[in-house]
Amino acid sequence: MAWTSPRTWVAGETLTAALLNQHVRDNQKAIGDAWTAYTPTLGNWTLGNGTWSAAYIQAGKLIHFRANLTVGSTTSISGSPTITLPVTAIAARAASFPGGAYDLSATTNYELGAFHTTTTVSFRSAGAALSSTVPFTWATGDEVYVSGTYEAA
């Protein structure tokens, strides 16, 4: 269900079922319906047989999103990896999304800072850019994840 700009009501106006459905019910559904899956474009990594799970919901200019990559045996990282946002953001932000990495072999979680331009997200761990060896050497079953809220352009 699409979000519509809420109506400005006028004193003495007659409420109808159609108006209430459009401006109240439908906007509530817009934030309560199932999220939309999306496939981020990857920068500086090759997914290979790894898997992505990513989705978002949009209500007006409000975007909530989440993305999770599970590394496969043929996934590779070169440089500092990035992913695309589901919808273009109004502005770039530093340290705006919480993220994390999970090292399966050590069963250890690492906090990541996620920074974004208007279209892409990059990651840092303890001040260093995410890479093939930061925060650990990636292997099959390891994960990187991010979620956040931002304003669409």
Side-chain angles (χ1 to χ4, degrees):
M1 178 83 26
W3 176 267
T4 59
S5 294
R7 180 182 178 92
T8 299
W9 302 95
V10 179
E13 183 174 2
T14 301
L15 293 177
T16 65
L19 287 173
L20 288 170
N21 287 340
Q22 179 183 3
H23 295 283
V24 179
R25 181 204 60 197
D26 292 352
N27 281 348
Q28 292 297 315
K29 284 187 61 51
I31 60 174
D33 280 349
W35 289 34
T36 302
Y38 86 103
T39 302
T41 300
L42 307 177
N44 295 325
W45 56 16
T46 303
L47 185 59
N49 63 353
T51 58
W52 261 114
S53 171
Y56 71 101
I57 190 166
Q58 181 171 2
K61 289 183 160 265
L62 178 68
I63 307 292
H64 294 292
F65 82 103
R66 65 178 181 263
N68 186 91
L69 176 137
T70 302
V71 173
S73 61
T74 61
T75 300
S76 63
I77 297 174
S78 62
S80 180
T82 62
I83 65 167
T84 53
L85 290 167
V87 175
T88 300
I90 195 167
R93 299 283 185 250
S96 57
F97 305 137
Y102 178 69
D103 183 350
L104 179 65
S105 63
T107 61
T108 304
N109 282 297
Y110 296 82
E111 286 186 26
L112 298 179
F115 307 85
H116 71 86
T117 67
T118 58
T119 57
T120 61
V121 176
S122 60
F123 305 91
R124 297 188 69 76
S125 176
L130 193 70
S131 72
S132 61
T133 58
V134 173
F136 49 82
T137 300
W138 297 85
T140 301
D142 293 342
E143 296 180 48
V144 63
Y145 46 89
V146 63
S147 64
T149 301
Y150 64 96
E151 182 180 358

